[in-house]
Amino acid sequence: MKEKRFFLSAALMLFFGLVILFLYDKSISYEEDETRKKQMDALLLTLHNKIEETTKVSLTSSVILAKSPYVIDCLSRQDRNICLHYLLDIRNTMALANVFENARLHLHTKDFKSFMRLWDYSNQTNDDLSTFRHALDKIKQTKHPIKGIEIGRSGMFMRAIAPVFQKGEYVGTIETVVDFKDLNTYFKKDGVEFYVLMKNEYRTIANAVAYNDKLMLDNYTIVNQEINGLNFIKEVNFQGTGFLKRGDNYVLYTPIVDINGEHIGFFVLTWSESLSLASFK
């Protein structure tokens, strides 16, 4: 009888020990998941804030330039020479001041044609933008500046566009265009790789860019990197905002919605399992 009680007691102790061990393991796993979730929320918030910060400064640039008599005369008289050197000086000053090293300035006519791309000012084709730069039509209708992400002939960029008026008459728009290189640098310093994926269906719009085949990722093209570091998730079907783990890497992704409310691609952040992400809180 004593032996039976001993074995019963031992079995009960083992059972409760295993239960406690299981609950402890689940508790540790839960805490790790919660920590990881907070880190990912912090990463997404940081990404949102950096884009908001960039587009706000860009919008300030566009709004101020829209008041310049050089820009007003340039568009109202349809004469590039009036504002060319002025805008080149502005661009160079912005680079020297470390506001935007890679900022581009773009003027559009009131009928949605490209009047002058400062990075390609010798091009005088005045190509029609009306079929894909829908933000220009919004500005003409509302007479208010606008900011966000949009795809143009030269690719996907953060854009800030302001209307230009000559004595109250709408004569066109001026746009400050910024790429994602500063965001690459910002995240990389903390060990996180940042990728901007554009849906391949929009490559027909971005027809002034020759994307390397190595930057292809199934239905997407990487537009902010020169090297495809995402081959390890090539067959992933992105849906909404989410994360996954592949080998020693975590991958966080979220949709890119442009100025017009269209889903045009995904932002993707990757980092190694050993990275603590302590700087993102």
Side-chain angles (χ1 to χ4, degrees), residues 67-93:
K67 304 294 184 182
S68 164
Y70 294 100
V71 173
I72 294 169
D73 285 350
C74 187
L75 283 171
S76 60
R77 297 185 189 184
Q78 299 282 288
D79 185 349
R80 293 175 176 81
N81 294 324
I82 294 175
C83 64
L84 175 58
H85 294 294
Y86 167 75
L87 290 177
L88 285 172
D89 285 342
I90 291 292
R91 184 195 65 183
N92 294 337
T93 301

Side-chain angles (χ1 to χ4, degrees), residues 100-126:
F100 295 124
E101 187 177 345
N102 304 302
R104 303 180 176 196
L105 298 175
H106 191 183
L107 295 174
H108 322 100
T109 65
K110 62 183 178 182
D111 55 350
F112 315 135
K113 291 182 180 178
S114 174
F115 183 65
M116 183 172 66
R117 295 178 173 93
L118 202 61
W119 64 95
D120 186 23
Y121 55 81
S122 60
N123 182 354
Q124 300 186 22
T125 56
N126 282 27

